[in-house]
Amino acid sequence: MPQTTEPADHPAGPVHRFAEIPEGRIHFVEQGTGPVVLLVHGFPESWYSWRHQLAALAAAGYRAVAIDVRGYGRSSKPSEVSAYRMLAHVADNVAVLRALGAETAIIAGHDWGAPIAAHSALLRPDLFTAVALLSVPYAPHGATRPTEAFARLGGDEEFYISYFQQPGRAEAEIEPDVRGWLAGVYAGLSGEAKPAADDQDGNGLTRMTVPRGGKLSDRFPADTTLPSWLTEADLDYYTGEFERSGLTGALNRYRNVDRDWADLAAWQGAPITRPALFIGGDRDAPTHWMADAIKAFPVTLPALSGSHIIEGCGHWVQQERPDEVNRLLIDWLHGLPA
């Protein structure tokens, strides 16, 4: 059974709990009552990335549940790379739903959480009845092996997902100064960041590539002053989580892209037929390098009811623009079939 490990500050406040999975546990934070809205974060974040949504969704009549994805925070961190395949993440979401005692949920994801949410709705539409995707649009399984596609995307440099493939390589860059690295990536991908000097196309890709023989942090802006939406206390929280957990579990998600491609071959080109919502930022790189996926929504997300690109917003959509995202989410939720 799920366990309550911290009392709510008040009866309607957030509660920390755990769901059992074969590899251990998934930590989650819930607030409110009503239909379940399951919130799945991306890299390098945690349940805390949804801190602005929990109370807002609860006030709107929903049971908001933000998880620590396996490999993060207080969730279990299996040692095998293959334990972080997409099928395992979908199974974790099912386990959380069971721990909540709920029959169905609406699911929302940001960054890597968006593909996890999308595949939860694709593979278990009986359980996940609607899906909201933030930052990363849905792209069905294709004919090209992902690592080959990412290698081409990097051009003369190394695309960040390619850089993350070798176990230990990115960890060696990040873990000596977790706080500094996190500050750099949060600031660099924020809508408030100045464009990189060599970003002539305006697509943000130069923040996502690594010079040959270099490090991803070589692409961080020289000025890593925290953006206005991120406080020192927020950065302290994220830093503490990753200093305790390390980065390997989080990075292992990237190391399964080819394994996912093999696992999900039967769903090549498959649309998600459940009601859907997309929210991106016009200063977020995936909005640009995945523009074709957004254009394909009439085919890939036939029940899409809204696609919103927020002006001046970067990658950390629900943290950068919480009020706007909350309004878009809640309006969409209220419009879903009962």
Side-chain angles (χ1 to χ4, degrees):
M1 294 292 291
Q3 301 174 351
T4 299
T5 59
E6 297 178 11
D9 295 332
H10 53 82
V15 178
H16 292 250
R17 302 172 68 192
F18 296 95
E20 293 182 3
I21 58 172
E23 297 86 352
R25 68 187 192 179
I26 295 295
H27 167 245
F28 61 92
V29 179
E30 66 168 309
Q31 186 169 355
T33 59
V36 174
V37 180
L38 186 63
L39 305 167
V40 188
H41 68 80
F43 177 88
E45 302 176 86
S46 82
W47 74 267
Y48 188 77
S49 306
W50 299 100
R51 61 195 178 280
H52 302 299
Q53 282 68 52
L54 287 167
L57 290 171
Y62 295 92
R63 187 180 183 187
V65 180
I67 70 170
D68 274 336
V69 172
R70 65 167 59 199
Y72 288 82
R74 292 159 62 182
S75 291
S76 292
K77 302 159 187 66
S79 58
E80 293 295 324
V81 173
S82 61
Y84 297 85
R85 68 208 311 156
M86 184 60 71
L87 295 177
H89 290 291
V90 173
D92 290 346
N93 291 339
V94 174
V96 171
L97 194 59
R98 301 303 189 210
L100 293 168
E103 294 184 359
T104 62
I106 301 146
I107 189 165
H110 168 256
D111 185 76
W112 256 125
I116 293 172
H119 283 88
S120 297
L122 177 68
L123 303 180
R124 294 303 307 266
D126 55 322
L127 301 180
F128 300 102
T129 58
V131 59
L133 308 176
L134 279 63
S135 181
V136 178
Y138 174 59
H141 183 286
T144 303
R145 185 178 295 275
T147 51
E148 295 174 1
F150 294 134
R152 290 198 294 268
L153 198 55
D156 294 334
E157 296 197 346
E158 192 174 16
F159 195 55
Y160 78 105
I161 296 178
S162 303
Y163 176 71
F164 286 166
Q165 291 303 302
Q166 181 183 338
R169 186 181 177 195
E171 290 93 326
E173 172 187 346
I174 302 168
E175 291 184 357
D177 180 14
V178 172
R179 195 177 198 277
W181 195 91
L182 291 175
V185 76
Y186 295 150
L189 300 184
S190 169
E192 298 176 18
K194 294 180 180 179
D198 53 355
D199 185 16
Q200 298 179 4
D201 296 330
N203 60 14
L205 273 177
T206 53
R207 294 283 192 214
M208 315 296 285
T209 59
V210 180
R212 296 293 175 181
K215 300 177 294 184
L216 187 59
S217 55
D218 294 337
R219 287 299 194 181
F220 292 170
D223 180 8
T224 56
T225 301
L226 295 188
S228 62
W229 53 268
L230 187 74
T231 68
E232 294 286 347
D234 295 333
L235 182 59
D236 287 343
Y237 185 87
Y238 285 123
T239 300
E241 294 293 273
F242 285 109
E243 286 183 340
R244 285 190 295 272
S245 68
L247 272 293
T248 296
L251 289 162
N252 279 345
R253 172 82 288 273
Y254 293 92
R255 295 163 185 159
N256 277 275
V257 291
D258 283 349
R259 187 172 284 111
D260 297 339
W261 183 71
D263 287 343
L264 299 167
W267 285 270
Q268 182 167 335
I272 294 174
T273 59
R274 287 301 194 182
L277 173 73
F278 176 71
I279 306 173
D282 72 346
R283 300 200 64 195
D284 186 13
T287 300
H288 298 278
W289 60 267
M290 298 189 73
D292 287 345
I294 295 173
K295 291 177 183 177
F297 280 166
V299 174
T300 61
L301 296 174
L304 183 75
S305 58
S307 180
H308 307 274
I309 306 298
I310 301 174
E311 184 177 353
C313 185
H315 184 63
W316 318 103
V317 184
Q318 77 272 30
Q319 298 183 80
E320 293 188 43
R321 300 294 181 86
D323 292 341
E324 193 163 354
V325 168
N326 291 347
R327 177 181 59 79
L328 291 171
L329 277 174
I330 292 167
D331 286 350
W332 173 70
L333 288 167
H334 285 344
L336 292 174

